Amino acid sequence: MSSNRYFECQALILKVKPFGEIHKIVTMLSPEFGMIDAVAYGAQRPKSRFCSSIRLFHQLKAKLYKSPRNDFFKFEEILTVYSCPIIEK
């Protein structure tokens, strides 16, 4: 397992859409990487560790894994840095 496939970045969530029955595709804007599409596997499950962090306009600190087979990133860890509840409504 190569260590150069793991990235850490801060990003702002711009779009969230369902992917299959239980996953989500998240489009984010990051100062380091620009626009990023990442998959949050199992994020639509109520007990998912990503369920509360993946909301529109949340600012995140994320650890991502870049798959060698496709162009998607995969979330490994998410930490919410800032959320704006006024904009969410």
PDB file of all heavy atoms in Angstrom, residues 27-53:
ATOM      1  N   THR A  27     -19.029  16.813  -3.599  1.00  0.00           N
ATOM      2  CA  THR A  27     -18.191  17.732  -4.371  1.00  0.00           C
ATOM      3  C   THR A  27     -17.727  18.827  -3.427  1.00  0.00           C
ATOM      4  O   THR A  27     -18.542  19.470  -2.766  1.00  0.00           O
ATOM      5  CB  THR A  27     -18.973  18.337  -5.544  1.00  0.00           C
ATOM      6  OG1 THR A  27     -19.457  17.272  -6.361  1.00  0.00           O
ATOM      7  CG2 THR A  27     -18.088  19.246  -6.376  1.00  0.00           C
ATOM      8  N   MET A  28     -16.404  19.006  -3.362  1.00  0.00           N
ATOM      9  CA  MET A  28     -15.807  19.951  -2.418  1.00  0.00           C
ATOM     10  C   MET A  28     -14.854  20.888  -3.147  1.00  0.00           C
ATOM     11  O   MET A  28     -14.335  20.553  -4.206  1.00  0.00           O
ATOM     12  CB  MET A  28     -15.016  19.191  -1.350  1.00  0.00           C
ATOM     13  CG  MET A  28     -15.797  18.163  -0.600  1.00  0.00           C
ATOM     14  SD  MET A  28     -14.772  17.275   0.583  1.00  0.00           S
ATOM     15  CE  MET A  28     -13.689  16.356  -0.486  1.00  0.00           C
ATOM     16  N   LEU A  29     -14.603  22.021  -2.533  1.00  0.00           N
ATOM     17  CA  LEU A  29     -13.622  22.982  -3.032  1.00  0.00           C
ATOM     18  C   LEU A  29     -12.508  23.082  -2.005  1.00  0.00           C
ATOM     19  O   LEU A  29     -12.748  23.404  -0.840  1.00  0.00           O
ATOM     20  CB  LEU A  29     -14.277  24.343  -3.257  1.00  0.00           C
ATOM     21  CG  LEU A  29     -13.376  25.434  -3.795  1.00  0.00           C
ATOM     22  CD1 LEU A  29     -12.854  25.060  -5.175  1.00  0.00           C
ATOM     23  CD2 LEU A  29     -14.119  26.751  -3.850  1.00  0.00           C
ATOM     24  N   SER A  30     -11.299  22.795  -2.457  1.00  0.00           N
ATOM     25  CA  SER A  30     -10.134  22.788  -1.575  1.00  0.00           C
ATOM     26  C   SER A  30      -9.077  23.743  -2.110  1.00  0.00           C
ATOM     27  O   SER A  30      -8.862  23.809  -3.322  1.00  0.00           O
ATOM     28  CB  SER A  30      -9.560  21.370  -1.519  1.00  0.00           C
ATOM     29  OG  SER A  30      -8.305  21.363  -0.902  1.00  0.00           O
ATOM     30  N   PRO A  31      -8.391  24.499  -1.239  1.00  0.00           N
ATOM     31  CA  PRO A  31      -7.328  25.384  -1.731  1.00  0.00           C
ATOM     32  C   PRO A  31      -6.137  24.617  -2.310  1.00  0.00           C
ATOM     33  O   PRO A  31      -5.461  25.103  -3.202  1.00  0.00           O
ATOM     34  CB  PRO A  31      -6.908  26.188  -0.506  1.00  0.00           C
ATOM     35  CG  PRO A  31      -7.625  25.647   0.652  1.00  0.00           C
ATOM     36  CD  PRO A  31      -8.635  24.669   0.183  1.00  0.00           C
ATOM     37  N   GLU A  32      -5.905  23.400  -1.806  1.00  0.00           N
ATOM     38  CA  GLU A  32      -4.759  22.624  -2.284  1.00  0.00           C
ATOM     39  C   GLU A  32      -5.031  21.910  -3.604  1.00  0.00           C
ATOM     40  O   GLU A  32      -4.165  21.840  -4.473  1.00  0.00           O
ATOM     41  CB  GLU A  32      -4.342  21.562  -1.244  1.00  0.00           C
ATOM     42  CG  GLU A  32      -3.867  22.118   0.058  1.00  0.00           C
ATOM     43  CD  GLU A  32      -4.982  22.197   1.084  1.00  0.00           C
ATOM     44  OE1 GLU A  32      -6.143  21.887   0.765  1.00  0.00           O
ATOM     45  OE2 GLU A  32      -4.683  22.585   2.221  1.00  0.00           O
ATOM     46  N   PHE A  33      -6.251  21.348  -3.776  1.00  0.00           N
ATOM     47  CA  PHE A  33      -6.540  20.480  -4.913  1.00  0.00           C
ATOM     48  C   PHE A  33      -7.627  21.009  -5.838  1.00  0.00           C
ATOM     49  O   PHE A  33      -7.931  20.387  -6.840  1.00  0.00           O
ATOM     50  CB  PHE A  33      -6.955  19.089  -4.413  1.00  0.00           C
ATOM     51  CG  PHE A  33      -5.913  18.424  -3.574  1.00  0.00           C
ATOM     52  CD1 PHE A  33      -6.090  18.298  -2.212  1.00  0.00           C
ATOM     53  CD2 PHE A  33      -4.757  17.931  -4.136  1.00  0.00           C
ATOM     54  CE1 PHE A  33      -5.134  17.688  -1.420  1.00  0.00           C
ATOM     55  CE2 PHE A  33      -3.794  17.325  -3.365  1.00  0.00           C
ATOM     56  CZ  PHE A  33      -3.974  17.195  -2.002  1.00  0.00           C
ATOM     57  N   GLY A  34      -8.261  22.122  -5.514  1.00  0.00           N
ATOM     58  CA  GLY A  34      -9.342  22.647  -6.339  1.00  0.00           C
ATOM     59  C   GLY A  34     -10.630  21.866  -6.090  1.00  0.00           C
ATOM     60  O   GLY A  34     -10.939  21.509  -4.957  1.00  0.00           O
ATOM     61  N   MET A  35     -11.387  21.586  -7.156  1.00  0.00           N
ATOM     62  CA  MET A  35     -12.635  20.828  -7.033  1.00  0.00           C
ATOM     63  C   MET A  35     -12.303  19.335  -6.877  1.00  0.00           C
ATOM     64  O   MET A  35     -11.538  18.790  -7.655  1.00  0.00           O
ATOM     65  CB  MET A  35     -13.505  21.022  -8.267  1.00  0.00           C
ATOM     66  CG  MET A  35     -13.997  22.436  -8.452  1.00  0.00           C
ATOM     67  SD  MET A  35     -15.235  22.909  -7.262  1.00  0.00           S
ATOM     68  CE  MET A  35     -16.649  22.151  -7.963  1.00  0.00           C
ATOM     69  N   ILE A  36     -12.921  18.725  -5.866  1.00  0.00           N
ATOM     70  CA  ILE A  36     -12.687  17.315  -5.577  1.00  0.00           C
ATOM     71  C   ILE A  36     -14.034  16.610  -5.513  1.00  0.00           C
ATOM     72  O   ILE A  36     -14.973  17.111  -4.895  1.00  0.00           O
ATOM     73  CB  ILE A  36     -11.996  17.133  -4.212  1.00  0.00           C
ATOM     74  CG1 ILE A  36     -10.653  17.836  -4.165  1.00  0.00           C
ATOM     75  CG2 ILE A  36     -11.823  15.665  -3.887  1.00  0.00           C
ATOM     76  CD1 ILE A  36     -10.048  17.854  -2.790  1.00  0.00           C
ATOM     77  N   ASP A  37     -14.126  15.447  -6.145  1.00  0.00           N
ATOM     78  CA  ASP A  37     -15.264  14.549  -5.964  1.00  0.00           C
ATOM     79  C   ASP A  37     -14.796  13.387  -5.112  1.00  0.00           C
ATOM     80  O   ASP A  37     -13.822  12.710  -5.461  1.00  0.00           O
ATOM     81  CB  ASP A  37     -15.784  14.026  -7.302  1.00  0.00           C
ATOM     82  CG  ASP A  37     -16.536  15.070  -8.088  1.00  0.00           C
ATOM     83  OD1 ASP A  37     -17.213  15.898  -7.456  1.00  0.00           O
ATOM     84  OD2 ASP A  37     -16.461  15.048  -9.327  1.00  0.00           O
ATOM     85  N   ALA A  38     -15.482  13.161  -3.998  1.00  0.00           N
ATOM     86  CA  ALA A  38     -15.106  12.081  -3.087  1.00  0.00           C
ATOM     87  C   ALA A  38     -16.344  11.258  -2.753  1.00  0.00           C
ATOM     88  O   ALA A  38     -17.452  11.777  -2.677  1.00  0.00           O
ATOM     89  CB  ALA A  38     -14.490  12.637  -1.807  1.00  0.00           C
ATOM     90  N   VAL A  39     -16.130   9.963  -2.544  1.00  0.00           N
ATOM     91  CA  VAL A  39     -17.218   9.060  -2.193  1.00  0.00           C
ATOM     92  C   VAL A  39     -17.157   8.782  -0.701  1.00  0.00           C
ATOM     93  O   VAL A  39     -16.105   8.450  -0.160  1.00  0.00           O
ATOM     94  CB  VAL A  39     -17.106   7.730  -2.974  1.00  0.00           C
ATOM     95  CG1 VAL A  39     -18.217   6.785  -2.578  1.00  0.00           C
ATOM     96  CG2 VAL A  39     -17.129   7.981  -4.458  1.00  0.00           C
ATOM     97  N   ALA A  40     -18.314   8.941  -0.057  1.00  0.00           N
ATOM     98  CA  ALA A  40     -18.450   8.592   1.363  1.00  0.00           C
ATOM     99  C   ALA A  40     -19.268   7.305   1.416  1.00  0.00           C
ATOM    100  O   ALA A  40     -20.485   7.320   1.278  1.00  0.00           O
ATOM    101  CB  ALA A  40     -19.137   9.707   2.124  1.00  0.00           C
ATOM    102  N   TYR A  41     -18.570   6.196   1.561  1.00  0.00           N
ATOM    103  CA  TYR A  41     -19.234   4.896   1.560  1.00  0.00           C
ATOM    104  C   TYR A  41     -20.051   4.719   2.838  1.00  0.00           C
ATOM    105  O   TYR A  41     -19.557   4.941   3.930  1.00  0.00           O
ATOM    106  CB  TYR A  41     -18.215   3.770   1.419  1.00  0.00           C
ATOM    107  CG  TYR A  41     -17.615   3.714   0.032  1.00  0.00           C
ATOM    108  CD1 TYR A  41     -16.347   4.202  -0.230  1.00  0.00           C
ATOM    109  CD2 TYR A  41     -18.343   3.194  -1.022  1.00  0.00           C
ATOM    110  CE1 TYR A  41     -15.806   4.160  -1.501  1.00  0.00           C
ATOM    111  CE2 TYR A  41     -17.818   3.145  -2.300  1.00  0.00           C
ATOM    112  CZ  TYR A  41     -16.555   3.626  -2.536  1.00  0.00           C
ATOM    113  OH  TYR A  41     -16.030   3.584  -3.797  1.00  0.00           O
ATOM    114  N   GLY A  42     -21.317   4.356   2.680  1.00  0.00           N
ATOM    115  CA  GLY A  42     -22.203   4.123   3.811  1.00  0.00           C
ATOM    116  C   GLY A  42     -22.711   5.374   4.484  1.00  0.00           C
ATOM    117  O   GLY A  42     -23.255   5.319   5.581  1.00  0.00           O
ATOM    118  N   ALA A  43     -22.584   6.533   3.852  1.00  0.00           N
ATOM    119  CA  ALA A  43     -22.916   7.805   4.503  1.00  0.00           C
ATOM    120  C   ALA A  43     -24.412   8.025   4.683  1.00  0.00           C
ATOM    121  O   ALA A  43     -24.809   8.871   5.469  1.00  0.00           O
ATOM    122  CB  ALA A  43     -22.322   8.967   3.724  1.00  0.00           C
ATOM    123  N   GLN A  44     -25.256   7.287   3.969  1.00  0.00           N
ATOM    124  CA  GLN A  44     -26.698   7.472   4.133  1.00  0.00           C
ATOM    125  C   GLN A  44     -27.277   6.583   5.224  1.00  0.00           C
ATOM    126  O   GLN A  44     -28.457   6.666   5.525  1.00  0.00           O
ATOM    127  CB  GLN A  44     -27.421   7.208   2.810  1.00  0.00           C
ATOM    128  CG  GLN A  44     -27.102   8.271   1.789  1.00  0.00           C
ATOM    129  CD  GLN A  44     -27.990   8.166   0.567  1.00  0.00           C
ATOM    130  OE1 GLN A  44     -29.111   7.721   0.640  1.00  0.00           O
ATOM    131  NE2 GLN A  44     -27.460   8.595  -0.568  1.00  0.00           N
ATOM    132  N   ARG A  45     -26.463   5.755   5.823  1.00  0.00           N
ATOM    133  CA  ARG A  45     -26.927   4.950   6.958  1.00  0.00           C
ATOM    134  C   ARG A  45     -27.033   5.841   8.191  1.00  0.00           C
ATOM    135  O   ARG A  45     -26.187   6.708   8.414  1.00  0.00           O
ATOM    136  CB  ARG A  45     -25.952   3.823   7.249  1.00  0.00           C
ATOM    137  CG  ARG A  45     -25.916   2.783   6.178  1.00  0.00           C
ATOM    138  CD  ARG A  45     -24.986   1.668   6.560  1.00  0.00           C
ATOM    139  NE  ARG A  45     -24.970   0.677   5.491  1.00  0.00           N
ATOM    140  CZ  ARG A  45     -24.092  -0.292   5.422  1.00  0.00           C
ATOM    141  NH1 ARG A  45     -23.151  -0.412   6.344  1.00  0.00           N
ATOM    142  NH2 ARG A  45     -24.144  -1.150   4.439  1.00  0.00           N
ATOM    143  N   PRO A  46     -28.058   5.632   9.017  1.00  0.00           N
ATOM    144  CA  PRO A  46     -28.234   6.498  10.197  1.00  0.00           C
ATOM    145  C   PRO A  46     -27.079   6.445  11.200  1.00  0.00           C
ATOM    146  O   PRO A  46     -26.784   7.433  11.855  1.00  0.00           O
ATOM    147  CB  PRO A  46     -29.512   5.975  10.839  1.00  0.00           C
ATOM    148  CG  PRO A  46     -30.185   5.167   9.805  1.00  0.00           C
ATOM    149  CD  PRO A  46     -29.148   4.697   8.849  1.00  0.00           C
ATOM    150  N   LYS A  47     -26.403   5.315  11.301  1.00  0.00           N
ATOM    151  CA  LYS A  47     -25.314   5.180  12.271  1.00  0.00           C
ATOM    152  C   LYS A  47     -23.936   5.345  11.649  1.00  0.00           C
ATOM    153  O   LYS A  47     -22.926   4.975  12.247  1.00  0.00           O
ATOM    154  CB  LYS A  47     -25.403   3.825  12.968  1.00  0.00           C
ATOM    155  CG  LYS A  47     -26.619   3.706  13.852  1.00  0.00           C
ATOM    156  CD  LYS A  47     -26.593   2.429  14.635  1.00  0.00           C
ATOM    157  CE  LYS A  47     -27.788   2.353  15.559  1.00  0.00           C
ATOM    158  NZ  LYS A  47     -27.772   1.147  16.380  1.00  0.00           N
ATOM    159  N   SER A  48     -23.873   5.930  10.479  1.00  0.00           N
ATOM    160  CA  SER A  48     -22.604   6.124   9.794  1.00  0.00           C
ATOM    161  C   SER A  48     -21.758   7.176  10.505  1.00  0.00           C
ATOM    162  O   SER A  48     -22.270   8.152  11.053  1.00  0.00           O
ATOM    163  CB  SER A  48     -22.856   6.574   8.357  1.00  0.00           C
ATOM    164  OG  SER A  48     -21.660   6.985   7.751  1.00  0.00           O
ATOM    165  N   ARG A  49     -20.456   7.010  10.450  1.00  0.00           N
ATOM    166  CA  ARG A  49     -19.562   7.994  11.068  1.00  0.00           C
ATOM    167  C   ARG A  49     -19.486   9.279  10.252  1.00  0.00           C
ATOM    168  O   ARG A  49     -19.051  10.308  10.738  1.00  0.00           O
ATOM    169  CB  ARG A  49     -18.171   7.404  11.265  1.00  0.00           C
ATOM    170  CG  ARG A  49     -17.520   6.973   9.976  1.00  0.00           C
ATOM    171  CD  ARG A  49     -16.217   6.283  10.231  1.00  0.00           C
ATOM    172  NE  ARG A  49     -15.706   5.742   8.987  1.00  0.00           N
ATOM    173  CZ  ARG A  49     -14.454   5.489   8.762  1.00  0.00           C
ATOM    174  NH1 ARG A  49     -13.569   5.705   9.713  1.00  0.00           N
ATOM    175  NH2 ARG A  49     -14.060   5.013   7.620  1.00  0.00           N
ATOM    176  N   PHE A  50     -19.920   9.222   8.977  1.00  0.00           N
ATOM    177  CA  PHE A  50     -19.904  10.399   8.120  1.00  0.00           C
ATOM    178  C   PHE A  50     -21.253  11.114   8.068  1.00  0.00           C
ATOM    179  O   PHE A  50     -21.366  12.182   7.478  1.00  0.00           O
ATOM    180  CB  PHE A  50     -19.525  10.019   6.685  1.00  0.00           C
ATOM    181  CG  PHE A  50     -18.203   9.331   6.562  1.00  0.00           C
ATOM    182  CD1 PHE A  50     -18.070   8.196   5.797  1.00  0.00           C
ATOM    183  CD2 PHE A  50     -17.080   9.829   7.194  1.00  0.00           C
ATOM    184  CE1 PHE A  50     -16.858   7.560   5.658  1.00  0.00           C
ATOM    185  CE2 PHE A  50     -15.858   9.210   7.071  1.00  0.00           C
ATOM    186  CZ  PHE A  50     -15.746   8.061   6.297  1.00  0.00           C
ATOM    187  N   CYS A  51     -22.278  10.546   8.649  1.00  0.00           N
ATOM    188  CA  CYS A  51     -23.652  11.037   8.499  1.00  0.00           C
ATOM    189  C   CYS A  51     -23.804  12.499   8.925  1.00  0.00           C
ATOM    190  O   CYS A  51     -24.414  13.298   8.223  1.00  0.00           O
ATOM    191  CB  CYS A  51     -24.592  10.145   9.299  1.00  0.00           C
ATOM    192  SG  CYS A  51     -26.313  10.513   9.074  1.00  0.00           S
ATOM    193  N   SER A  52     -23.265  12.882  10.043  1.00  0.00           N
ATOM    194  CA  SER A  52     -23.461  14.245  10.552  1.00  0.00           C
ATOM    195  C   SER A  52     -22.479  15.257   9.956  1.00  0.00           C
ATOM    196  O   SER A  52     -22.738  16.460   9.986  1.00  0.00           O
ATOM    197  CB  SER A  52     -23.341  14.266  12.067  1.00  0.00           C
ATOM    198  OG  SER A  52     -22.041  13.905  12.450  1.00  0.00           O
ATOM    199  N   SER A  53     -21.374  14.805   9.414  1.00  0.00           N
ATOM    200  CA  SER A  53     -20.354  15.726   8.906  1.00  0.00           C
ATOM    201  C   SER A  53     -20.596  16.181   7.478  1.00  0.00           C
ATOM    202  O   SER A  53     -20.119  17.235   7.077  1.00  0.00           O
ATOM    203  CB  SER A  53     -18.976  15.072   8.979  1.00  0.00           C
ATOM    204  OG  SER A  53     -18.650  14.791  10.310  1.00  0.00           O
TER     205      SER A  53
END
